[in-house]
């Protein structure tokens, strides 16, 4: 478990050990909004472990206003997009040593209202709307997954929408939505169901790599007749921008 808050992480770890009886649950403390530290963590992890079977990218941030990290990067972009790119790319050598490697990224249905934009990744221009910025990042995660699946064909990549889950992040970032939908929001267990299925089931890997899921089923990453499709050139551009940005912060 790679977590930002040590107390919450240890509490979650204790719950997992108690429920599963498995004492081999380990906590690594890392704030994914700190880009250099993401690199350092990935490099240290590679030195310590020889293989990695499954990587689940689940950390996320919705900011109420634009904020930058110590490196000058917009914090939610650093957490939701760049950190996931760095972590996934740098751990690919370990994943490739596994007999059945998988990468699952937890996206959101909010991305269905966003077309990929690569011209304003740091949200320096225009009004900052945290929920829309988050939705754009979730679209970027979908594109990233599709592109990485094409490049690394021996790893099974997937990206998914957990449904609308009753979490503090949803309550804080979208209070009106949360109060009006409270009765129909999912529990964390319901939200995690497809993630776990993608991580462990044999059925999941019979589907093509790089696809978008909801409730254990492959679904379209675009609404019918949507304007959200982007060109192959634009999608490749996102990956090359992320690669260049990632290298800027790589420890030498």
């Amino acid at each position: 478990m790679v977590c930002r808050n040590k107390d919450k992480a240890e509490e979650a770890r204790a719950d997992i050990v108690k429920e599963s009886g498995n004492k081999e649950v380990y906590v690594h403390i890392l704030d994914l909004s700190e880009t250099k530290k993401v690199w350092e963590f990935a490099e240290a992890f590679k030195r310590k472990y020889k293989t990695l079977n499954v990587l689940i990218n689940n950390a996320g941030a919705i900011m109420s206003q634009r904020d930058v990290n110590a490196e000058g990067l917009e914090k939610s972009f650093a957490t939701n997009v760049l950190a996931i790119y760095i972590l996934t790319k740098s751990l690919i050598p370990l994943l490739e040593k596994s007999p059945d490697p998988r990468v699952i990224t937890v996206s959101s249905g909010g991305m269905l209202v966003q077309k990929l934009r690569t011209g304003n990744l740091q949200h320096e221009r225009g009004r900052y709307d945290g929920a829309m910025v988050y939705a754009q990042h979730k679209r970027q995660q979908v594109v990233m997954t599709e592109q990485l699946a094409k490049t690394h064909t021996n790893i099974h990549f997937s990206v998914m929408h957990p449904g609308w889950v009753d979490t503090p992040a949803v309550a804080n970032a979208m209070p009106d939505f949360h109060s009006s939908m409270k009765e129909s929001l999912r529990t964390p267990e319901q939200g995690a169901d497809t993630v776990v299925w993608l991580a462990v089931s044999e059925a999941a890997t019979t589907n093509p790599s790089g696809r978008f899921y909801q409730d254990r089923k492959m679904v379209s990453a675009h609404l019918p007749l949507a304007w959200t499709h982007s060109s192959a050139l634009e999608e490749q551009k996102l990956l090359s921008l992320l690669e260049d940005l990632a290298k800027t912060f790589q420890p030498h």
Side-chain angles (χ1 to χ4, degrees):
M1 296 161 57
V2 180
C3 307
R4 181 172 58 99
N5 182 310
K6 192 174 192 305
D7 294 340
K8 285 183 182 176
E10 290 297 346
E11 195 181 315
R13 180 192 172 277
D15 285 347
I16 294 166
V17 170
K18 188 180 168 189
E19 290 270 330
S20 66
N22 175 16
K23 293 189 174 66
E24 291 193 54
V25 181
Y26 302 99
V27 167
H28 306 273
I29 301 303
L30 172 68
D31 185 337
L32 279 114
S33 73
E34 299 177 9
T35 310
K36 281 185 183 135
K37 288 193 177 157
V38 177
W39 268 117
E40 286 163 8
F41 168 79
E43 294 307 315
F45 192 90
K46 281 193 283 194
R47 286 192 295 273
K48 187 170 182 181
Y49 300 98
K50 296 288 174 277
T51 183
L52 175 62
N53 301 307
V54 181
L55 171 65
I56 299 171
N57 293 309
N58 183 45
I62 308 178
M63 313 293 287
S64 55
Q65 58 192 45
R66 190 177 186 276
D67 192 10
V68 296
N69 67 9
E71 294 128 341
L73 294 169
E74 193 270 321
K75 266 190 184 175
S76 65
F77 169 76
T79 306
N80 300 335
V81 186
L82 191 58
I84 286 175
Y85 179 79
I86 291 169
L87 212 49
T88 306
K89 280 284 283 191
S90 51
L91 295 177
I92 277 170
L94 291 194
L95 285 156
E96 286 177 332
K97 289 176 183 166
S98 166
D100 181 20
R102 308 181 189 196
V103 176
I104 300 117
T105 298
V106 180
S107 181
S108 163
M111 67 91 198
L112 291 166
V113 300
Q114 289 283 323
K115 180 177 180 172
L116 175 68
R117 292 195 306 272
T118 59
N120 190 22
L121 290 179
Q122 303 289 323
H123 303 283
E124 290 152 307
R125 300 186 300 280
R127 188 174 72 85
Y128 189 92
D129 178 333
M132 286 298 107
V133 168
Y134 180 77
Q136 173 62 210
H137 293 159
K138 295 295 163 179
R139 169 61 69 190
Q140 289 169 15
Q141 288 176 353
V142 170
V143 170
M144 193 194 307
T145 300
E146 291 167 349
Q147 292 298 313
L148 290 172
K150 288 176 191 170
T151 320
H152 305 282
T153 52
N154 49 352
I155 299 171
H156 192 271
F157 287 86
S158 49
V159 60
M160 56 78 69
H161 173 39
W164 294 104
V165 182
D166 191 355
T167 63
V170 171
N172 294 335
M174 298 183 280
D176 295 343
F177 172 81
H178 182 263
S179 58
S180 65
M181 295 290 287
K182 188 142 181 48
E183 296 310 309
S184 54
L185 292 174
R186 296 182 175 194
T187 64
E189 289 79 7
Q190 289 169 328
D193 177 76
T194 297
V195 184
V196 176
W197 179 80
L198 286 165
V200 300
S201 78
E202 286 180 24
T205 53
T206 61
N207 292 330
S209 182
R211 301 295 287 273
F212 184 68
Y213 290 81
Q214 186 170 350
D215 296 332
R216 301 192 183 190
K217 292 185 179 70
M218 278 195 303
V219 295
S220 175
H222 301 275
L223 294 169
L225 309 174
W227 46 271
T228 51
H229 292 274
S230 45
S231 68
L233 205 63
E234 187 76 351
E235 290 172 0
Q236 286 154 11
K237 184 182 175 185
L238 172 70
L239 272 284
S240 66
L241 287 169
L242 292 177
E243 181 64 22
D244 291 347
L245 208 45
K247 278 181 182 159
T248 312
F249 298 98
Q250 187 172 8
H252 296 296

